[in-house]
């Protein structure tokens, strides 16, 4: 990676630019520049072979002016406090962009879940939950799924928290299994948000989504669900990559067949309906839609000028470095920024939390219809703000979020 900018630096750079354009007062700006609370915990875990390992976990709460903090727990060997701080701040902006009553949080554990047994993962998750017990809660801070965690992880968090509390508190986490308070439609929610963003963006260009070409970087939950839903909407996937490599087929890749292949091979590499390609080239292909859905900092100063996609829909958090923004803008690439494009996940998490609180569960069609309503509304608001401030959609999204967060902060005032 050429850029030395960390994820948190990248967040602060955008916040600074948006605050200046918006004319945000200094006191509010200073508060938002750093997270409210960062907690580091040590997690002793009894391993299957009898050894004890001590893992490091984090929980960061960036801002709670609009409601309890919300954000996923990430299990990955590359987790850093800086990345979790950035994630917490992004969730402050994301929840404000889609206008759900949450603040921003994020958690993580430095570990490689692919090398841990189910028993080890369970003990690690339960110890982490016990350590952050006082921080989380349906009205405090509500964790959810993220890279390396899933519905089972959330079920363990729910159980540990509820055991300590001596009551069932299923609103403490989202992304739970359906049948344990999880919401229908949560698994595909982030991908569905990407689909809605892609459709709205194409409409802005006066083009239908059906027949559009697209390339996807990453084939985890967000990448694969986005690919499937775009494919089902009639768009044509011409390339896709994961950690192991990339494949292309200009005539179109059958996404359903690829998902089957991926379930067995654990990679897109080796899929028979496509040719291998250089993963770095995928980002530079001439397609209608490019969906970076892997990690942060992949479109940088070094390659931004060569991006030929008409639209970039940011499925991942932070895929574009701050220096790349003006380059994409001057080349006429329409970027649907992460804090809008991937906010479908946190939106359905909000629906899940609402259903837990009222104890009444919605049909999948209701979840999906409400998601369309929230996302299209947010999309229109972001682009109206972008036009009003004559800026790019990312800064437009930040200004929209800043307006909502700072208003809540002004109402509450500073407790000093
Ligand atoms: N994984 C997403 C994030 O942290 C969504 C988490 C949630 O649903 O709370 O940004």
């Amino acid at each position: 990676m050429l850029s030395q900018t960390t994820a948190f630096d990248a967040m602060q750079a955008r916040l600074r630019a948006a605050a200046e354009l918006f004319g945000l007062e200094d006191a509010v700006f200073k508060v938002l520049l750093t997270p409210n609370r960062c907690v580091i915990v040590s997690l002793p875990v009894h391993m299957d072979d009898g050894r004890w390992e001590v893992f490091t976990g984090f929980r960061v709460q960036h801002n709670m002016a609009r409601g309890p903090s919300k954000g996923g727990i990430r299990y990955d060997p590359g987790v850093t406090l800086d990345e979790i701080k950035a994630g917490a701040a992004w969730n402050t902006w994301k929840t404000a962009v889609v206008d759900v009553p949450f603040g921003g949080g994020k958690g993580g554990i430095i570990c490689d879940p692919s090398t841990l047994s189910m028993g080890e993962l369970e003990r690690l998750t339960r110890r982490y939950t016990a350590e952050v017990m006082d921080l989380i809660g349906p009205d405090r801070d509500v964790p959810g799924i993220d890279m390396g965690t899933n519905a089972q992880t959330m079920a363990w968090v729910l159980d540990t928290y509820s055991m300590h509390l001596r009551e069932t508190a299923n609103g403490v986490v989202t992304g739970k299994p359906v049948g344990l308070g999880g919401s229908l439609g949560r698994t595909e929610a982030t991908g569905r948000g990407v689909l809605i963003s892609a459709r709205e963006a194409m409409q802005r260009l006066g083009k239908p989504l059906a027949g559009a070409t697209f390339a996807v970087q990453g084939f985890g939950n967000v990448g694969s669900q986005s690919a499937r839903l775009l494919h089902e909407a009639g768009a044509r996937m011409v390339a896709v990559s994961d950690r192991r490599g990339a494949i292309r087929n200009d005539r179109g890749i059958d996404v359903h067949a690829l998902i089957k292949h991926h379930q067995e091979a654990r990679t897109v590499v080796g899929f028979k309906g496509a040719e291998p390609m250089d993963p770095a080239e995928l980002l530079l292909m001439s397609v209608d839609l490019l969906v970076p859905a892997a990690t942060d900092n992949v479109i940088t100063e070094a390659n931004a000028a060569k991006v030929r996609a008409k639209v970039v829909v940011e499925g991942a958090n932070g895929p574009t470095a701050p220096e790349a923004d003006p380059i994409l803008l001057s080349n006429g690439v329409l970027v649907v920024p992460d804090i809008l494009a991937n906010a479908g996940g946190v939106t359905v998490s909000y629906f899940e939390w609402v259903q837990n609180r009222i104890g009444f569960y919605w049909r999948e069609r209701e979840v999906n219809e409400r998601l369309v309503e929230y996302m299209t509304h947010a999309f229109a608001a972001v682009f109206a703000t972008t036009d009003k401030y004559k800026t790019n959609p990312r800064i437009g999204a930040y200004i929209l979020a800043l307006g909502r967060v700072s208003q809540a902060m002004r109402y509450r005032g500073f407790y000093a």
Side-chain angles (χ1 to χ4, degrees):
M1 239 166 269
L2 282 172
S3 173
Q4 290 305 303
T5 317
T6 70
F8 194 66
D9 291 339
M11 189 292 296
Q12 285 187 326
R14 269 66 173 255
L15 172 60
R16 205 166 270 122
E20 213 163 278
L21 254 186
F22 180 67
L24 188 69
E25 61 266 44
D26 197 48
V28 175
F29 172 67
K30 274 189 193 147
V31 171
L32 291 171
L33 208 51
T34 52
N36 180 274
R37 184 182 280 140
C38 302
V39 173
I40 305 176
V41 289
S42 287
L43 310 167
V45 174
H46 202 189
M47 307 301 278
D48 290 349
D49 63 6
R51 279 177 311 117
W52 283 85
E53 247 345 310
V54 181
F55 295 87
T56 303
F58 308 101
R59 187 72 194 169
V60 173
Q61 297 168 344
H62 173 258
N63 184 277
M64 291 87 92
R66 287 169 44 85
S69 38
K70 183 85 195 82
I73 311 175
R74 169 169 291 203
Y75 287 4
D76 188 77
V79 163
T80 61
L81 178 58
D82 181 275
E83 174 196 7
I84 302 299
K85 281 164 63 180
W90 283 327
N91 280 331
T92 299
W93 315 134
K94 230 184 268 188
T95 51
V97 163
V98 287
D99 207 4
V100 297
F102 285 135
K106 190 99 185 183
I109 300 178
I110 307 171
C111 68
D112 182 353
S114 69
T115 64
L116 299 175
S117 69
M118 282 294 271
E120 289 165 344
L121 276 171
E122 178 174 353
R123 293 191 289 279
L124 177 63
T125 302
R126 288 188 185 277
R127 180 65 193 235
Y128 174 80
T129 308
E131 291 293 343
V132 297
M133 181 75 201
D134 296 331
L135 295 177
I136 62 174
D139 290 305
R140 287 185 184 163
D141 180 6
V142 187
I145 42 175
D146 204 84
M147 208 189 344
T149 56
N150 55 32
Q152 177 61 74
T153 324
M154 296 303 116
W156 290 325
V157 177
L158 155 71
D159 183 68
T160 310
Y161 182 84
S162 299
M163 292 297 289
H164 281 263
L165 211 64
R166 288 176 158 45
E167 63 187 48
T168 299
N170 58 13
V172 67
V173 278
T174 61
K176 299 177 291 288
V178 173
L180 192 65
S183 178
L184 292 167
R186 176 62 187 89
T187 311
E188 62 181 57
T190 311
R192 194 167 283 283
V194 167
L195 167 74
I196 299 163
S197 300
R199 181 175 285 135
E200 294 294 310
M202 291 302 285
Q203 204 164 43
R204 263 186 92 84
L205 300 183
K207 293 193 171 129
L209 183 59
T213 55
F214 69 99
V216 180
Q217 182 194 41
F219 210 65
N221 174 277
V222 180
S224 62
Q225 296 287 352
S226 302
R228 180 179 67 79
L229 291 163
L230 285 165
H231 177 76
E232 288 171 5
R236 177 158 47 104
M237 183 160 85
V238 293
V240 61
S241 68
D242 63 18
R243 283 174 206 240
R244 303 258 304 271
I247 55 170
R248 75 180 289 171
N249 182 345
D250 292 349
R251 279 171 290 125
I253 294 170
D254 177 348
V255 179
H256 293 125
L258 178 63
I259 288 172
K260 266 209 186 115
H261 165 86
H262 187 266
Q263 273 162 359
E264 281 151 31
R266 311 306 307 160
T267 174
V268 298
V269 175
F271 178 62
K272 287 202 173 60
E275 300 295 319
M277 75 175 290
D278 174 4
E281 286 296 315
L282 181 140
L283 295 170
L284 315 179
M285 287 173 78
S286 177
V287 283
D288 293 311
L289 297 153
L290 172 65
V291 183
T295 55
D296 67 320
N297 215 19
V298 295
I299 301 176
T300 64
E301 206 173 5
N303 62 2
K306 291 184 250 162
V307 170
R308 286 179 296 156
K310 292 193 180 69
V311 179
V312 175
V313 185
E314 295 183 340
N317 287 319
T320 308
E323 307 78 40
D325 281 342
I327 304 172
L328 295 175
L329 184 69
S330 67
N331 286 349
V333 180
L334 175 60
V335 177
V336 186
D338 48 6
I339 57 172
L340 169 63
N342 69 37
V346 86
T347 303
V348 176
S349 279
Y350 164 62
F351 297 162
E352 181 173 328
W353 181 80
V354 167
Q355 293 170 77
N356 295 151
R357 290 169 85 90
I358 58 177
F360 179 72
Y361 289 84
W362 309 346
R363 286 182 290 258
E364 189 162 1
R365 183 179 50 77
E366 291 174 275
V367 172
N368 291 343
E369 280 172 9
R370 286 187 167 115
L371 177 59
V372 170
E373 200 181 304
Y374 272 70
M375 287 295 300
T376 49
H377 201 264
F379 193 98
V382 164
F383 281 86
T385 312
T386 303
D387 294 343
K388 179 172 168 198
Y389 286 87
K390 297 187 175 47
T391 184
N392 63 57
R394 186 186 316 283
I395 299 302
Y398 269 77
I399 292 177
L400 176 69
L402 263 186
R404 290 175 175 160
V405 174
S406 63
Q407 179 65 272
M409 290 168 74
R410 260 175 245 118
Y411 282 140
R412 292 176 75 137
F414 291 119
Y415 181 58

